[in-house]
Amino acid sequence: MYVYADNAATTKLSEAAKMAMLPYFDELYANPSSIHSSGQKIKDDINQARQTVADVIGAAQASEITFTSGGTESDNQAIISAATLGAERGKKHIISSSFEHHAVLHTLNKLKKQGFEITLIDPDPNGIVSGEKVAAEIREDTALVSIMYANNEIGTIQPITEIGAVCRKNGVLFHTDAVQAACHLHIDVQKQNIDLLSFSAHKFHGPKGIGGLYARRGTALSRLIEGGGQEKSRRPGTENVPGIIGLAAAIKEAYENIDKESAYLLSLRDKILNSLLAIPGSRLNGDLQNRLSGNISISFEGLDSESLILLLDNKGISVSNGSACNSASTQPSHVLRNIGVPKEYIRGTLRITLGRYNTEEEADYIIANVTESVNYLRSFSPVWKNSRKEESSYAVQ
Amino acid sequence: MLYNDVILENFLHPENVGEIENADGAGEVGSISCGDVVSLTIRVENNIITNAKFTVFGGAAAIACASFITKTIRNRTPEEALSIASSGELDRALGGLPAARLKSAVFVCEAVQAAIKNYYDRNGIGYDPFDFALGCSICDGCEE
């Protein structure tokens, strides 16, 4: 049996998205910037796709959506644009959190070297950054608040509406990296006072290499690269037409089924979670209630998750420990460290992220194999043996 | 692939897992903060290591290295075992570890040294202390 349960890393392209894309490789291949009818037809299709995205996230106008290469580019452009706007008015302070994706953290680090002052708020142990904590850091010279919608490792959903209200009240631009949230949660950029929002198609069964950035009208975007006038000169370069079409098809399909899919993932997730939390020496990372419905981040005492993941891989199960972007490192991720996962547990962290194609049967297979592999690795772990010894001696006392 | 077939085979089907009861030498190195804890026990008869077993908290590289080294040091004298147990040798024998996992080989070799040193100490056998790693040699310092 093969089970893919690493949907926070990427998802399978949906059939609907694939079929929508296919004609744009060899039949509808004209350049949307050309004035002939073949080109103009593509331009119309792109703008239709833009409208679809705008409708789903509650944008006032389709023109507020800029297509990019994905979440990383969108995060870079959003933050650099807001920093540029702030600097023009002498505001060089940015607030974010310490468990953002590296696309945000590394961009902020670059700005820090350019003279910006960065405040990184630590999430609480449940993996939540509250609106009050954000409000407490806002100053006269704050140019931007950037808080992720949902965390990529532990799946915790941030109080975006609350943070948006705080930012609006203080006249500060608000960016949210919604890469994990888009099409999984209901988003309304107007009601939630979001000025900039990043998303990526391959996290909701669209193609890789395409994403977008919502920028509220009046929030000028700085170009990251120079070139032609595509995307209203915000993102030069001939459009990734099949990607844009696939993104729109995927977003439409996902949004139509958002509640049904979320309920389904929740039932699968809770089944797995309840079984795995019954294993002694296990703990859930991050808040259970404010959490993406497909996310399980669980830590097991007394073992190293790399061994666990490779044993599961050998059984045909694809899961991860933290973010796929950090797999070369042997150190626990900044997310797990910053929410304070105890050192006895932190190295034994497993991330199982479910998607719409996972089945009940697969959930049972995951439960059986994780349980077996955890027990196996612990059977020859000196750390687990010592920890049990200590526990039984406490019990005697 | 992160690991080659030799390493994966040693990881998926490790040999000599466990602990020797009333062992002649025992050593444990590493910490959970470093990422690997390797515990090794040896049986020594007539100056020959007749059995070696390990337990490990760590990744695939640590388990593979420990499995491999326990097979290699069997039927050798402690002196021979010490000369074999180097991370460079292990890395070569296993066909190349990923750079970030080389430290697992170092831990495993230090566990061999610790077990042999323990055997020497128990039996009043003299040795040059400089032949043994003095504490954790991997990083500048950790919380433990």
Side-chain angles (χ1 to χ4, degrees):
Chain A
M1 186 184 252
Y2 175 68
V3 182
Y4 181 81
D6 197 13
N7 286 278
T10 193
T11 58
K12 178 182 171 177
L13 184 70
S14 81
E15 190 64 16
K18 186 173 88 179
M19 294 314 286
M21 290 170 78
L22 287 178
Y24 290 86
F25 287 105
D26 54 1
E27 288 169 41
L28 304 167
Y29 54 83
N31 191 319
S33 296
S34 300
I35 54 173
H36 49 66
S37 58
S38 306
Q40 290 303 298
K41 143 86 178 137
I42 308 292
K43 192 184 192 98
D44 290 346
D45 293 348
I46 289 179
N47 285 330
Q48 185 56 51
R50 203 184 306 280
Q51 186 64 53
T52 302
V53 176
D55 291 345
V56 165
I57 64 167
Q61 299 172 12
S63 60
E64 293 172 320
I65 311 294
T66 301
F67 291 115
T68 68
S69 64
T72 294
E73 183 184 337
S74 295
D75 284 341
N76 271 260
Q77 190 165 14
I79 293 167
I80 289 167
S81 300
T84 306
L85 289 171
E88 282 167 4
R89 289 177 294 145
K91 296 184 172 190
K92 297 190 81 174
H93 175 235
I94 299 173
I95 299 167
S96 188
S97 79
S98 60
F99 77 156
E100 297 291 316
H101 191 273
H102 284 151
V104 169
L105 290 177
H106 290 179
T107 305
L108 292 174
N109 201 31
K110 187 167 129 180
L111 288 171
K112 190 177 172 184
K113 287 175 189 156
Q114 293 170 6
F116 283 83
E117 199 183 326
I118 315 291
T119 300
L120 294 182
I121 300 171
D122 281 330
D124 70 19
N126 273 345
I128 306 285
V129 176
S130 69
E132 292 95 68
K133 270 195 173 174
V134 173
E137 299 295 344
I138 291 183
R139 316 189 309 213
E140 281 291 309
D141 63 339
T142 303
L144 170 73
V145 169
S146 178
I147 302 288
M148 66 199 329
Y149 210 115
N151 184 270
N152 51 315
E153 290 190 33
I154 56 173
T156 50
I157 301 165
Q158 306 308 309
I160 293 301
T161 308
E162 198 184 315
I163 297 170
V166 165
C167 293
R168 180 54 47 93
K169 191 179 145 203
N170 289 280
V172 176
L173 284 177
F174 177 38
H175 165 246
T176 185
D177 170 356
V179 165
Q180 295 290 335
C183 280
H184 299 289
L185 299 170
H186 290 282
I187 295 175
D188 190 319
V189 290
Q190 294 188 81
K191 280 195 190 137
Q192 294 178 290
N193 293 305
I194 297 166
D195 298 303
L196 296 147
L197 178 139
S198 313
F199 59 96
S200 179
H202 76 103
K203 306 288 192 187
F204 48 81
H205 304 281
K208 293 168 183 65
I210 186 76
L213 174 59
Y214 160 80
R216 184 183 294 275
R217 194 178 168 203
T219 310
L221 291 182
S222 309
R223 275 188 301 280
L224 299 184
I225 52 172
E226 296 301 324
Q230 292 90 348
E231 298 294 285
K232 294 192 181 300
S233 294
R234 297 168 189 146
R235 211 281 185 173
T238 298
E239 296 86 343
N240 173 359
V241 180
I244 291 169
I245 300 298
L247 180 151
I251 223 173
K252 199 159 174 270
E253 185 185 26
Y255 200 68
E256 277 166 9
N257 300 301
I258 189 167
D259 295 324
K260 210 174 89 191
E261 188 172 308
S262 177
Y264 174 64
L265 294 182
L266 211 57
S267 72
L268 279 190
R269 181 193 81 185
D270 287 346
K271 178 184 178 144
I272 297 173
L273 193 55
N274 291 336
S275 299
L276 297 187
L277 284 175
I279 298 173
S282 62
R283 78 189 287 278
L284 176 74
N285 301 313
D287 197 78
L288 178 62
Q289 300 310 320
N290 298 301
R291 188 182 196 91
L292 291 172
S293 43
N295 177 288
I296 294 170
S297 172
I298 187 168
S299 298
F300 299 101
E301 196 184 349
L303 60 87
D304 183 281
S305 60
E306 187 203 77
S307 295
L308 182 56
I309 289 159
L310 292 175
L311 285 177
L312 294 170
D313 186 41
N314 190 50
K315 299 277 172 64
I317 301 174
S318 296
V319 288
S320 73
N321 40 10
S323 143
C325 314
N326 294 326
S327 57
S329 167
T330 57
Q331 286 304 313
S333 77
H334 69 287
V335 174
L336 298 173
R337 280 183 275 126
N338 287 333
I339 62 162
V341 177
K343 68 174 185 196
E344 291 79 10
Y345 283 86
I346 196 164
R347 285 190 180 266
T349 302
L350 189 66
R351 183 185 73 172
I352 301 168
T353 44
L354 304 167
R356 71 166 74 126
Y357 301 118
N358 288 119
T359 63
E360 285 272 345
E361 194 191 357
E362 290 178 352
D364 290 332
Y365 190 71
I366 290 172
I367 293 166
N369 281 288
V370 172
T371 308
E372 186 191 318
S373 299
V374 166
N375 290 335
Y376 167 70
L377 288 171
R378 283 175 171 175
S379 73
F380 61 90
S381 162
V383 173
W384 177 247
K385 188 182 159 192
N386 287 338
S387 124
R388 289 303 100 174
K389 233 187 251 167
E390 279 165 26
E391 197 144 291
S392 57
S393 74
Y394 290 143
V396 170
Q397 286 163 12
Chain B
M1 297 296 281
L2 183 54
Y3 294 113
N4 67 39
D5 290 344
V6 182
I7 299 169
L8 274 182
E9 178 57 27
N10 274 279
F11 161 65
L12 290 172
H13 307 288
E15 291 181 36
N16 309 317
V17 173
E19 263 176 86
I20 298 170
E21 272 189 49
N22 305 315
D24 298 308
E28 184 168 305
V29 299
S31 77
I32 52 174
S33 300
C34 298
D36 291 303
V37 179
V38 184
S39 183
L40 206 111
T41 48
I42 52 172
R43 166 82 60 233
V44 186
E45 290 162 304
N46 301 321
N47 201 38
I48 296 287
I49 298 172
T50 55
N51 197 3
K53 288 194 168 197
F54 76 92
T55 60
V56 156
F57 165 92
I63 293 171
C65 286
S67 168
F68 189 85
I69 205 85
T70 49
K71 287 186 271 183
T72 317
I73 63 172
R74 274 192 185 189
N75 302 318
R76 306 262 188 177
T77 65
E79 295 70 30
E80 286 169 337
L82 283 176
S83 68
I84 296 165
S86 83
S87 56
E89 281 295 325
L90 251 181
D91 185 37
R92 246 192 313 280
L94 289 170
L97 287 159
R101 267 72 172 180
L102 258 179
K103 65 169 193 167
S104 295
V106 176
F107 276 121
V108 167
C109 294
E110 289 189 355
V112 172
Q113 293 175 2
I116 291 174
K117 184 169 179 288
N118 178 251
Y119 163 72
Y120 285 164
D121 288 341
R122 287 186 193 194
N123 292 282
I125 300 168
Y127 55 85
D128 182 348
F130 288 102
D131 284 347
F132 296 93
L134 304 169
C136 178
S137 63
I138 292 179
C139 47
D140 295 333
C142 56
E143 307 120 63
E144 300 202 6

